[in-house]
């Protein structure tokens, strides 16, 4: 039981959660962290949290139990089925990605009404919320703004786009016809992430995974057949910059925020450019291309890059890693060390 202001992280054992827990625990050691995930936390994360609850975001009784034990005023809702996995199980993706998110918004609303303070709610959306109709339009569009081409072609992208609107509803219009509105208890803040590349975790179920998969395969000496064309291009970001952006957005004064959903970018290499850097670091590893036309079509519907001027203006988004430094100074050295130690 903790009545201290606490943090709830769902999907904490995933790519973003691993880096987020370390930063949260270091930044505010007196603020209890409770996590909710179907998978166990890695030991290095488990020792940093007050409680690691094992269960589903669809289990409302479990969420009620967390509400009874903790005074949560900050939620990082990371649990999701990513784009490729969601295409194989679209109905399950809807349940997890949409109904699960609704459960967490209701949790946050209830917590805010209970302790009287707004609950800051971080929601990771994705470039999958975009849908460019053709390669020609994609090339011409260049850096895409948040409100353009919001016509996703995947269940995951549709889920993310709808949950962006759900979050804005809870934040600004919740029960707007009630005699006494309880709106404003959820302070919903959202980043549309590009493809994220982590040195610590290998992704699973994403369509942008060709980039991290390539590095992790090469560093472990495994041949890799890239499933997209060499010219395929989408925005990417190194995980430390993604976590930094979450902190900058969540720490920004609410009055500074002109929107609830923000694009952020860092670098937008082609698959061929990624392969060239990885091959230079691991020349002995066999790298090839074996296009999966269906996954390629998803990548072709995502923007070549994003306009993140609103994030830079409103809350100081400033990625530390460009393409060369992300691979040369962070990803390749860290991943090499990881596999050398194994
Ligand atoms: C995916 O590929 O599904 C995710 C994403 C781009 O949101 N990494």
């Amino acid at each position: 039981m903790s009545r201290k202001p606490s943090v709830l992280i769902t999907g904490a054992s995933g790519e973003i959660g691993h880096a987020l827990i370390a930063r949260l625990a270091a930044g505010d050691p007196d603020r209890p962290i409770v996590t909710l995930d179907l998978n166990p936390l890695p030991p290095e994360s488990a020792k940093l949290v007050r409680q690691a609850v094992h269960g589903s975001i669809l289990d409302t009784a479990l969420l009620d139990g967390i509400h009874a034990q903790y005074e949560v005023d900050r939620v990082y809702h990371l649990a999701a089925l990513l784009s490729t996995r969601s295409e194989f199980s679209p109905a399950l993706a809807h349940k997890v990605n949409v109904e699960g998110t609704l459960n967490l918004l209701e949790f946050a609303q209830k917590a805010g009404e209970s302790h009287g303070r707004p609950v800051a709610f971080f929601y990771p959306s994705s470039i999958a919320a975009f849908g460019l109709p053709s390669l020609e339009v994609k090339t011409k569009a260049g850096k895409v703004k948040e409100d353009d081409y919001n016509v996703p072609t995947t269940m995951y992208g549709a889920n993310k786009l709808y949950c962006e609107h759900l979050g804005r509803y809870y934040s600004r219009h919740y029960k707007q016809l009630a005699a006494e509105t309880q709106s404003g208890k959820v302070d919903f803040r959202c980043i549309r992430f590009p493809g994220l590349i982590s040195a610590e975790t290998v992704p699973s179920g994403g369509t942008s995974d060709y980039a991290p998969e390539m590095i992790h395969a090469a560093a472990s000496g495994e041949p890799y057949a890239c499933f997209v064309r060499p010219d395929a291009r989408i925005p990417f970001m190194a995980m430390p910059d993604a976590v930094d952006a979450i902190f900058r957005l969540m720490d920004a004064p609410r009055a500074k925020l002109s929107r609830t959903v923000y694009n952020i970018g860092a670098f937008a290499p082609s698959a061929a450019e990624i392969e060239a850097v990885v091959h230079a670091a691991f020349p002995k590893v066999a790298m090839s291309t074996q296009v999966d036309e269906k996954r390629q079509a998803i990548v072709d519907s995502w923007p070549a890059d994003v306009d993140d001027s609103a994030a830079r203006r409103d809350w100081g988004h400033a990625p530390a890693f460009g393409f060369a430094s992300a691979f040369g100074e962070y990803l390749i050295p860290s991943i090499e060390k990881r596999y050398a130690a194994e």
Side-chain angles (χ1 to χ4, degrees):
M1 175 77 81
S2 167
R3 299 320 296 180
K4 279 186 182 174
S6 304
V7 178
L8 171 62
I9 307 176
T10 72
S13 71
E15 294 174 83
I16 299 176
H18 184 275
L20 184 68
I21 288 172
R23 175 103 182 247
L24 278 172
D28 190 349
D30 291 335
R31 195 184 188 91
I33 299 173
V34 53
T35 64
L36 174 58
D37 201 303
L38 283 173
N39 303 311
L41 285 187
E44 63 273 20
S45 299
K47 67 185 180 194
L48 299 174
V49 306
R50 175 66 59 86
Q51 185 181 0
V53 178
H54 179 253
S56 165
I57 56 175
L58 299 175
D59 184 341
T60 49
L62 207 52
L63 288 170
D64 289 345
I66 294 171
H67 175 62
Q69 292 184 74
Y70 296 91
E71 187 169 303
V72 173
D73 64 359
R74 194 161 269 217
V75 175
Y76 296 86
H77 174 43
L78 310 179
L81 252 58
L82 297 183
S83 57
T84 295
R85 270 193 68 196
S86 295
E87 284 312 300
F88 289 109
S89 318
L92 175 63
H94 175 88
K95 269 186 102 59
V96 172
N97 294 342
V98 176
E99 291 176 29
T101 300
L102 183 65
N103 288 349
L104 266 299
L105 287 166
E106 278 292 305
F107 171 95
Q109 179 66 30
K110 197 188 299 180
E113 290 176 12
S114 160
H115 54 59
R117 302 188 305 280
V119 175
F121 190 109
F122 176 73
Y123 180 72
S125 185
S126 158
I127 53 172
F130 293 109
L132 287 102
S134 70
L135 267 181
E136 188 193 351
V137 170
K138 171 172 177 168
T139 308
K140 219 165 133 203
K143 288 180 180 248
V144 172
K145 284 186 177 299
E146 285 88 353
D147 301 328
D148 295 340
Y149 303 106
N150 294 169
V151 191
T153 64
T154 61
M155 173 56 100
Y156 169 77
N159 297 160
K160 286 296 181 181
L161 188 60
Y162 173 57
C163 288
E164 292 175 6
H165 291 293
L166 264 188
R168 191 166 37 75
Y169 166 77
Y170 270 79
S171 233
R172 299 185 185 176
H173 311 293
Y174 182 74
K175 287 190 179 175
Q176 58 201 281
L177 299 183
E180 280 185 36
T181 176
Q182 286 284 4
S183 176
K185 290 287 184 288
V186 176
D187 176 5
F188 181 83
R189 303 183 183 202
C190 171
I191 289 175
R192 270 198 201 141
F193 283 119
L196 298 181
I197 314 177
S198 166
E200 276 73 48
T201 52
V202 183
S204 61
T207 313
S208 65
D209 290 353
Y210 60 89
E213 284 175 0
M214 207 186 283
I215 311 166
H216 281 272
S220 49
E222 296 299 318
Y224 186 72
C226 184
F227 59 78
V228 294
R229 295 186 314 266
D231 67 292
R233 187 184 300 275
I234 54 172
F236 282 97
M237 178 175 289
M239 187 59 78
D241 281 336
V243 173
D244 180 66
I246 293 172
F247 274 79
R248 285 175 187 256
L249 173 59
M250 293 296 272
D251 291 343
R254 200 164 177 180
K256 289 263 189 192
L257 304 182
S258 61
R259 37 177 330 115
T260 52
V261 178
Y262 288 91
N263 283 343
I264 61 170
F267 48 89
S270 67
E273 288 164 335
I274 296 169
E275 184 172 332
V277 168
V278 175
H279 190 62
F282 305 101
K284 293 197 181 100
V285 175
M287 304 184 82
S288 60
T289 298
Q290 208 171 326
V291 178
D292 176 332
E293 294 301 339
K294 292 174 180 168
R295 296 180 86 183
Q296 178 67 61
I298 293 174
V299 169
D300 286 344
S301 74
W302 293 352
D305 203 350
V306 288
D307 177 327
D308 59 8
S309 50
R312 292 173 189 263
R313 181 194 63 234
D314 289 3
W315 45 271
H317 170 57
F321 291 106
F323 175 47
S325 56
F327 281 74
E329 296 167 22
Y330 165 59
L331 291 165
I332 290 172
S334 313
I335 295 171
E336 248 179 345
K337 211 182 295 170
R338 167 194 166 127
Y339 289 107
E342 285 187 351

